[in-house]
Structures are given as structure tokens and as C-alpha cells.
């Protein structure tokens, strides 16, 4: 986008696993992020894949787990139809959990030893302190299968500056953490408003993009 399309201003946004990837990327860059990157937004990011996997496999998340596993298996079958020389769906019948799926398909495909190795090396958690561009993280504290605690421990959020606000200052001055008590996973449906639609998190994403592109860092908090 920078070299070929010559975009002068870019904001990366990711949801759930995509949010983890966006945070890990900018954390790995640290001080070497391209100057065209003006900000990053992560909504419900799974920054600790092992913790997310453990929570997702709990009995209370049975419906979510079954749904994810169904669509992951379906994806392998579709890929086998398109690329039979690359994908083997024969093992799908014996896979009953996402950990088994990651062990058999995801980890080997990307050079990881197993699922645990994949979870450890692909998580953004160790890189959050290295982020050097304006970053907004929105994560509900009642997310059913991506825990809020790893973010708290990694970013060391301080006391809320406003008791009526869910905005938390963090140990990394480049990261703004918004942790509402409710919102679920990538949900955040708000009440009716005359000013915007009910997709609250997406509106904050757009608002943040506008601020960082204009360079109004003082207005972000």
C-alpha cells in the first residue's frame, strides 16, 4: 500500500484474531513502524491465544466452540476441493476440538511445533509494551471467550480518569484501552442515537481514525 499505491496515511484495524495480528505487527515494528502508519485499532483482540483457547473450551462456551469448529472443518473441505494436492480432509472426522484442529492443520501449515507453540508465538501479548504508534483497544470485560485479564496485566491500566468513563490510561502512553463492563465479543450494540447508528465500536474506530489522520492526538483521550 505504501510502495505500490503510495498511500500517505494508513490506519490498521482488526477484530478478534485480526486485532491480535494488528497489535502484534505494530509491536514487532516498535520504533521502526513506517511513518505512513498513523494508528492502530483492535476490537476484542485475542492477545493471549492460550488463554482464549482455554476459555473457549469451557462447557459454558460449548455453542461458540461447536460453531467455530464446524466452520473451520468446512473451510478445510472447501480448500481440499480447490487444492486437493495441498489439503487432506481425511482426519477431520477424528477432530472434536479446536486444539486438535490447530494441532493437525494450523500449526504444521505455518511452521509451528503444535497448537501450544502456535498460541505462544502468534500472541500479541508480549509486544504490547513495544507499540509506538497511537493505538486504540476496545475490549468488553464480559467477553465470553477472550478474557480481559491479559490486557489488564500487560498494559497495567491505571485508575479511570473519569469515574463515568470506561477509558483507562495504561503504562504504555501510546495505547488507549477502552474496557466497558458489557459488550460481549465484537458486539457493542448501543442504544438508539440521533447522531450515529447503533454500531458503537465501529463508530469509535472511525472517530479514532479521523483524529490520528488529522494529528489531533490531544483529543483522542
Amino acid at each position: 500500500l505504501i510502495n505500490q499505491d503510495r498511500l500517505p496515511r494508513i490506519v490498521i484495524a482488526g477484530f478478534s484474531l485480526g486485532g491480535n495480528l494488528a497489535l502484534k505487527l505494530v509491536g514487532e515494528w516498535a520504533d521502526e513502524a513506517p511513518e505512513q502508519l498513523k494508528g492502530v485499532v483492535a476490537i476484542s483482540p485475542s492477545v493471549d491465544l492460550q488463554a482464549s483457547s482455554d476459555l473457549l473450551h469451557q462447557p459454558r462456551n460449548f455453542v461458540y466452540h461447536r460453531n467455530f469448529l464446524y466452520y473451520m472443518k468446512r473451510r478445510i473441505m472447501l480448500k481440499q476441493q480447490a487444492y486437493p494436492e495441498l489439503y487432506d480432509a481425511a482426519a477431520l472426522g477424528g477432530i472434536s476440538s479446536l486444539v486438535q484442529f490447530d494441532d493437525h492443520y494450523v500449526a504444521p501449515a505455518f511452521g509451528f511445533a503444535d497448537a501450544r507453540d502456535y498460541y505462544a508465538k502468534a500472541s500479541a501479548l508480549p509486544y504490547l509494551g513495544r507499540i509506538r504508534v497511537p493505538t486504540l483497544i476496545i475490549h468488553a470485560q464480559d467477553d465470553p471467550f477472550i478474557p480481559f485479564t491479559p490486557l489488564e496485566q500487560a498494559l497495567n491500566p491505571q485508575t479511570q480518569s473519569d469515574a463515568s468513563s470506561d477509558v483507562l490510561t495504561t503504562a504504555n502512553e501510546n495505547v488507549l484501552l477502552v474496557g466497558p463492563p458489557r459488550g460481549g465479543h465484537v458486539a457493542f450494540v448501543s442504544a438508539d442515537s440521533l447522531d450515529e447508528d447503533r454500531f458503537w465500536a465501529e463508530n469509535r474506530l472511525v472517530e479514532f481514525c479521523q483524529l490520528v489522520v488529522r494529528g489531533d492526538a490531544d483529543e483522542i483521550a
Side-chain angles (χ1 to χ4, degrees), residues 192-219:
D192 290 326
S193 171
L194 296 177
D195 300 324
E196 61 186 30
D197 59 34
R198 301 182 67 184
F199 297 99
W200 179 83
E202 286 80 356
N203 280 288
R204 302 293 73 77
L205 187 160
V206 172
E207 189 175 58
F208 182 82
C209 290
Q210 292 170 339
L211 289 172
V212 295
V213 166
R214 292 202 308 261
D216 296 334
D218 293 339
E219 295 184 27

Side-chain angles (χ1 to χ4, degrees), residues 15-51:
F15 295 74
S16 193
L17 187 57
N20 173 69
L21 293 174
L23 294 173
K24 186 170 185 287
L25 173 66
V26 72
E28 288 178 335
W29 270 333
D31 293 319
E32 298 180 0
E35 62 179 352
Q36 292 86 350
L37 180 62
K38 302 304 180 183
V40 174
V41 181
I43 297 178
S44 303
S46 51
V47 297
D48 186 337
L49 295 179
Q50 183 64 64

Side-chain angles (χ1 to χ4, degrees), residues 69-183:
L69 186 59
Y70 169 80
Y71 282 105
M72 294 299 286
K73 286 184 173 183
R74 183 182 178 187
R75 182 172 297 180
I76 291 296
M77 290 188 288
L78 292 174
K79 287 180 178 293
Q80 184 189 42
Q81 293 176 13
Y83 307 100
E85 72 282 4
L86 297 178
Y87 294 90
D88 181 10
L92 288 177
I95 292 177
S96 59
S97 73
L98 281 173
V99 172
Q100 292 176 339
F101 182 90
D102 290 339
D103 257 331
H104 191 88
Y105 287 102
V106 178
F110 296 97
F112 299 107
D114 53 25
R116 286 190 174 274
D117 186 49
Y118 158 51
Y119 298 155
K121 293 178 179 177
S123 294
L125 194 66
Y127 299 90
L128 298 181
R130 293 163 47 89
I131 294 175
R132 295 294 181 265
V133 299
T135 298
L136 171 65
I137 301 176
I138 300 177
H139 196 298
Q141 297 184 40
D142 70 345
D143 191 308
F145 50 82
I146 297 184
F148 186 74
T149 302
L151 278 173
E152 286 186 298
Q153 295 175 341
L155 292 172
N156 188 26
Q158 307 300 310
T159 304
Q160 295 177 2
S161 56
D162 180 349
S164 64
S165 172
D166 298 317
V167 178
L168 306 175
T169 58
T170 72
N172 185 339
E173 63 181 8
N174 301 294
V175 179
L176 187 66
L177 174 61
V178 179
R182 294 185 178 87

